[in-house]
Amino acid sequence: MSEVKVPELAESITEGTIAEWLKSVGDQVEKGENIVELETDKVNVEVISEVSGVLSEIKAEEGETVEVGSVIAVVSDGESQSTSNDSKETEKQEEPPKEDAAKTEAPSPKQEEKEESEASSNERVQATPSARKLAREKGIDLSKVKTQAGDVIRPEDVENAAKPAQQPAKPAQQSQPAQAKSNDNPSKPVVREKLSRRRQTIAKKLLEVSNNTAMLTTFNEVDMTNVMELRKRKKDKFQEDHNGTRLGFMSFFTKASVAALKKYPDVNAEIDGTDLILKQFYDIGVAVSTEEGLVVPIVRDCDKKNFAEIEQDIVDLAVKAKDKKLGLDDMMGGSFTITNGGVFGSLMSTPIMNGTQAAILGMHSIVTRPVAIDKERMENRPMMYLALSYDHRIIDGKQAVGFLKTIKELIENPEDLLLES
């Protein structure tokens, strides 16, 4: 017998939530096989079995919060129930028929067929472990249970199936006042869903940032003409020289941010109690939207990487995020964050800082609009609004404006990035 425990996740993570059991009680498991998926504050983690055997007990149900080190399941030596049943059936067939007094105590053939049919039917039905357990306790045939949502039977579906048998109908004279009360207070249809652990964490962290920092946002606009022309001229050769890696805009803004961070080091800092920690590394977080919410994987050592390496890292991290393959190492320790609401059509926004970082850069949609070139001329130019949200406890307005102006100048003169970054 082997206990399955919640593994060490990360220094700052002490608990997780059971997202999904990949195996049910009675299933055969192999050593190293994933049996349960945990949802943590940052990423989903799959827990493996350390031994081969049968999943004999599940100690924590889906949606339950579990601490690191706690036992959540037990894997026993032996074969799965289906394998064992096959073996017993074979033994039954090999035994000669016995005719004695015990025959009167044995179940009738019809009863045996009914029990075997129900057991077989229950095995075919898709249901959570907790739903199967509840159905056994209440003596309910899972094949006759209707689901409220999806194809998997859950405990509430079993409860609903049990209600008619357990709750006798109320007399007609008692139902009338209840109906009147319902009419007096009509309600609109709603759907109540439990927030995922990821969404709860996002909500908690964003609220903490809002409550614990003096956040302010400054804006500027950047003319994207030169970057777009450079990209148009070089993108095919760039892709050919770097094994298919495409030249996007994120690498330009990442390199411009690194140059600006070197010029304004307080933007690359954070407060720890009464101390100011000035970070002398440039690990840039890139916000990625997923079905479960926003995640911010980190592109490491951006000051030491070229445009192709940054672009490839961003693509790899985005794919891992969408496939739920991000590890904790991919998410920890960023010093500055860039978010691009422009990919969704945002014209302007005030991004919220990420964790304990001092600032975040917001990119937005590129929109062609008339711009005054001088007193005499107007031209249509591809323009983008930039936003820098920053912690006013660390960064003064002069620094924030200067930082954003540096990025603007580097993007409008992209050849300078070769010298400044």
Side-chain angles (χ1 to χ4, degrees):
M1 184 179 73
S2 174
E3 294 180 332
V4 179
K5 298 182 179 181
V6 179
E8 292 289 338
L9 300 170
E11 185 177 349
S12 61
I13 299 178
T14 59
E15 62 182 21
T17 299
I18 303 293
E20 180 183 4
W21 281 102
L22 307 176
K23 293 286 185 178
S24 301
V25 172
D27 286 353
Q28 187 80 32
V29 297
E30 302 296 331
K31 182 178 180 180
E33 187 176 9
N34 296 325
I35 60 174
V36 62
E37 185 178 5
L38 289 178
E39 186 181 46
T40 72
D41 293 350
K42 296 182 179 293
V43 295
N44 284 17
V45 178
E46 291 180 334
V47 180
I48 66 171
S49 174
E50 299 292 341
V51 298
S52 297
V54 176
L55 184 60
S56 59
E57 186 177 1
I58 288 177
K59 294 179 175 289
E61 303 298 338
E62 292 179 0
E64 188 174 335
T65 298
V66 291
E67 296 182 352
V68 170
S70 61
V71 179
I72 55 176
V74 176
V75 176
S76 302
D77 298 332
E79 298 176 333
S80 66
Q81 187 176 359
S82 59
T83 305
S84 177
N85 287 342
D86 291 343
S87 177
K88 289 180 180 178
E89 186 65 30
T90 303
E91 291 177 4
K92 274 186 182 179
Q93 293 175 0
E94 291 176 353
E95 288 180 0
K98 296 181 180 179
E99 297 182 3
D100 52 25
K103 185 165 65 173
T104 59
E105 300 177 3
S108 65
K110 289 185 178 179
Q111 185 177 354
E112 284 184 350
E113 289 177 6
K114 180 180 179 182
E115 291 176 354
E116 289 177 1
S117 175
E118 289 182 356
S120 176
S121 177
N122 284 347
E123 285 299 321
R124 290 195 299 268
V125 172
Q126 291 186 334
T128 65
S130 54
R132 291 184 184 278
K133 180 181 177 183
L134 188 60
R136 288 195 298 270
E137 292 174 352
K138 295 184 178 293
I140 294 176
D141 184 357
L142 286 176
S143 64
K144 298 178 180 179
V145 175
K146 295 181 179 180
T147 61
Q148 295 179 342
D151 299 327
V152 180
I153 296 175
R154 302 188 179 278
E156 55 265 29
D157 300 322
V158 179
E159 291 284 4
N160 290 337
K163 281 180 182 179
Q166 293 179 358
Q167 297 180 359
K170 294 183 179 179
Q173 62 268 25
Q174 294 181 4
S175 62
Q176 187 62 34
Q179 181 65 34
K181 183 177 181 181
S182 175
N183 290 338
D184 291 340
N185 298 286
S187 60
K188 298 293 185 181
V190 298
V191 176
R192 183 182 294 273
E193 295 181 350
K194 185 177 178 61
L195 287 173
S196 68
R197 185 177 187 87
R198 185 80 44 79
R199 180 54 63 183
Q200 291 180 51
T201 300
I202 290 172
K204 179 182 176 183
K205 296 296 185 184
L206 293 179
L207 190 60
E208 285 178 356
V209 171
S210 297
N211 291 338
N212 299 330
T213 63
M215 191 171 66
L216 191 64
T217 304
T218 187
F219 300 92
N220 211 320
E221 63 178 355
V222 57
D223 185 344
M224 298 291 291
T225 301
N226 291 335
V227 164
M228 293 177 72
E229 289 181 353
L230 174 62
R231 181 173 175 269
K232 184 177 180 180
R233 292 197 314 269
K234 299 292 186 179
K235 65 178 183 179
D236 292 338
K237 186 69 164 58
F238 184 93
Q239 191 168 350
E240 180 183 340
D241 291 344
H242 298 288
N243 300 318
T245 300
R246 298 177 63 185
L247 179 61
F249 294 122
M250 284 301 298
S251 54
F252 287 94
F253 280 93
T254 301
K255 296 298 281 185
S257 295
V258 169
L261 289 170
K262 289 180 177 179
K263 187 174 182 180
Y264 297 93
D266 284 353
V267 182
N268 202 38
E270 68 177 73
I271 288 179
D272 183 14
T274 58
D275 295 333
L276 179 65
I277 300 176
L278 295 167
K279 301 170 185 175
Q280 298 183 341
F281 58 90
Y282 304 92
D283 293 349
I284 308 299
V286 179
V288 177
S289 177
T290 70
E291 291 181 358
E292 296 181 348
L294 197 69
V295 294
V296 187
I298 311 300
V299 181
R300 308 288 177 184
D301 300 321
C302 291
D303 57 322
K304 301 174 183 177
K305 291 179 177 176
N306 59 32
F307 282 70
E309 290 170 326
I310 290 173
E311 290 287 356
Q312 189 58 54
D313 282 355
I314 291 173
V315 170
D316 292 343
L317 290 169
V319 170
K320 289 174 71 174
K322 293 187 187 323
D323 293 342
K324 300 181 182 179
K325 299 296 184 183
L326 284 174
L328 292 171
D329 291 342
D330 295 322
M331 309 281 288
M332 307 293 287
S335 61
F336 182 76
T337 296
I338 302 175
T339 180
N340 185 5
V343 296
F344 304 111
S346 173
L347 183 64
M348 185 179 291
S349 67
T350 56
I352 298 178
M353 293 177 299
N354 182 28
T356 59
Q357 295 175 13
I360 180 172
L361 175 68
M363 300 165 55
H364 299 92
S365 295
I366 300 173
V367 178
T368 301
R369 58 177 180 265
V371 176
I373 304 302
D374 51 38
K375 292 182 179 181
E376 306 272 328
R377 293 181 300 153
M378 294 280 291
E379 288 186 10
N380 289 330
R381 293 290 183 92
M383 304 297 294
M384 176 194 288
Y385 287 119
L386 298 179
L388 182 75
S389 292
Y390 61 97
D391 191 343
H392 210 348
R393 298 176 303 164
I394 303 174
I395 304 166
D396 293 330
K398 180 180 178 180
Q399 294 171 298
V401 172
F403 180 91
L404 204 52
K405 186 179 177 183
T406 298
I407 291 179
K408 169 185 169 68
E409 291 170 348
L410 290 172
I411 295 298
E412 291 182 343
N413 301 278
E415 64 273 10
D416 291 347
L417 285 172
L418 299 175
L419 304 175
E420 297 289 343
S421 61

